[in-house]
Amino acid sequence: MKQLVSLIGDIKLNVNKNNFEQLVTSIIGQQLSAKTAALIISRLRNLVEGQINITSIEVLEDEQLRNLGISLRKVSFIRDLCSRIKSNLFDVEQLHSYSNSEVIEILTEVKGIGVWTAQMFLIFSLGRLDVLPLGDQGLQRASLWLYSQSDKNGIEVLEDSSKMWKPFYTIPCLYLWKAVDLNLLSKSSNIEGNY
């Protein structure tokens, strides 16, 4: 990890403090490439004049959302999120006051939000530094690459290596994701072999 940090340099955790927007964009981005998700989110921002909030989303017809490239299923997830917030089942602006496990419990009650999406919210909206998304495929692959463990299970390698990161799990995750983004995993069998 020290070599990877040295290779990549400083990384800034960009936090989106608009909790509702972060949840909507997370739902939109599920199972899409980053490029496709960014395009759809950009279309949505243009449609609502930059204001992704409950009011701006609720006035849109399902067909308008579908025309942006959002699947019908994801439209239903976004509607469920709006409904739960409007029904006071949780206060989206107070999620920062809950523990990680409480946030995950609250958010996974929303249709279409699973543990991974809730963990991404903890990192990229609440700025939590103690989140370890073991189920993240990119992190698993990057861990196998970084620690030259291609013959092992990605979750096990990630879990074992994370013992050294406690309690700041998020920071190494950012570096592992960056290694994936920079396509470093395809350049050598491990970091020592190339740098």
Side-chain angles (χ1 to χ4, degrees), residues 7 14 23 32 34 50 57 63 74 92 115 136 138 144 150 154 182 193:
L7 171 67
N14 294 315
L23 290 170
L32 295 177
I57 296 297
E63 197 56 35
K74 288 180 183 177
V92 73
V115 172
D136 187 280
L144 291 170
S150 58
L182 293 174

Side-chain angles (χ1 to χ4, degrees), residues 144-161:
L144 291 170
W145 165 78
L146 184 64
Y147 296 107
S148 302
Q149 302 287 323
S150 58
D151 58 329
K152 294 195 177 173
N153 177 295
I155 292 177
E156 289 174 15
V157 172
L158 186 56
E159 202 165 24
D160 286 345
S161 55

Side-chain angles (χ1 to χ4, degrees), residues 42-104:
S42 174
R43 289 175 186 159
L44 176 61
R45 277 203 177 91
N46 288 338
L47 184 62
V48 297
E49 298 176 355
Q51 301 298 312
I52 300 177
N53 55 48
I54 294 176
T55 306
S56 68
I57 296 297
E58 281 197 320
V59 298
L60 298 175
E61 299 290 330
D62 288 358
E63 197 56 35
Q64 288 177 284
L65 293 169
R66 293 279 296 118
N67 289 338
L68 300 175
I70 303 172
S71 71
L72 190 55
R73 187 177 170 121
K74 288 180 183 177
V75 169
S76 74
F77 297 161
I78 293 168
R79 297 291 187 213
D80 186 59
L81 173 65
C82 292
S83 172
R84 287 176 178 277
I85 294 169
K86 285 198 76 164
S87 300
N88 294 316
L89 293 176
F90 71 94
D91 184 342
V92 73
E93 298 309 323
Q94 292 303 312
L95 289 172
H96 66 274
S97 64
Y98 293 100
S99 70
N100 290 358
S101 58
E102 289 171 325
V103 170
I104 290 170

Side-chain angles (χ1 to χ4, degrees), residues 158-171:
L158 186 56
E159 202 165 24
D160 286 345
S161 55
S162 71
K163 292 172 186 168
M164 298 178 280
W165 310 336
K166 190 175 183 180
F168 301 106
Y169 301 116
T170 301
I171 296 166

Side-chain angles (χ1 to χ4, degrees), residues 173-190:
C173 290
L174 295 174
Y175 279 92
L176 291 172
W177 280 319
K178 192 68 171 176
V180 172
D181 290 345
L182 293 174
N183 213 18
L184 297 179
L185 279 62
S186 65
K187 292 185 178 175
S188 70
S189 59
N190 67 23

